[in-house]
Amino acid sequence: DPNTAPVDGYRVYYGTNQSAFALAEDVGTATTYNLDKLKLSENVQYYFSVAAYNEAGESPRTAPLSFTPADTTPPRPPVDLVAVPPN
């Protein structure tokens, strides 16, 4: 939910450790953000937190939420598969 106080933007903090976020993405005033824009590894659990900011500083961060991107690697084709023509 958007902050009720005037904000200049939001920062999404994320990383693999919920108590020490290694990365941050400034998303401007957007109140929704597609995680596909971030360089996340498949099958790795990430934690996310958001903070609003303005000229007075940054708000406390939200409680962390976790997300694990799924494996999107297509299956490998069968090996030694022989097609049999219909009779």
Side-chain angles (χ1 to χ4, degrees):
D1 292 331
N3 195 309
T4 56
V7 300
D8 293 333
Y10 297 93
R11 285 189 189 93
V12 176
Y13 292 91
Y14 64 104
T16 56
N17 182 333
Q18 68 178 332
S19 59
F21 297 100
L23 304 163
E25 184 77 15
D26 190 324
V27 300
T29 58
T31 56
T32 61
Y33 189 74
N34 187 338
L35 296 180
D36 290 338
K37 295 179 181 181
L38 302 175
K39 294 179 181 176
L40 304 177
S41 298
E42 297 173 344
N43 296 321
V44 174
Q45 186 173 28
Y46 289 89
Y47 297 91
F48 297 86
S49 183
V50 178
Y53 64 87
N54 62 20
E55 60 190 33
E58 188 172 279
S59 71
R61 296 179 191 168
T62 61
L65 297 172
S66 67
F67 172 70
T68 304
D71 183 357
T72 58
T73 307
R76 294 174 44 167
V79 177
D80 298 329
L81 182 66
V82 177
V84 178
N87 291 337

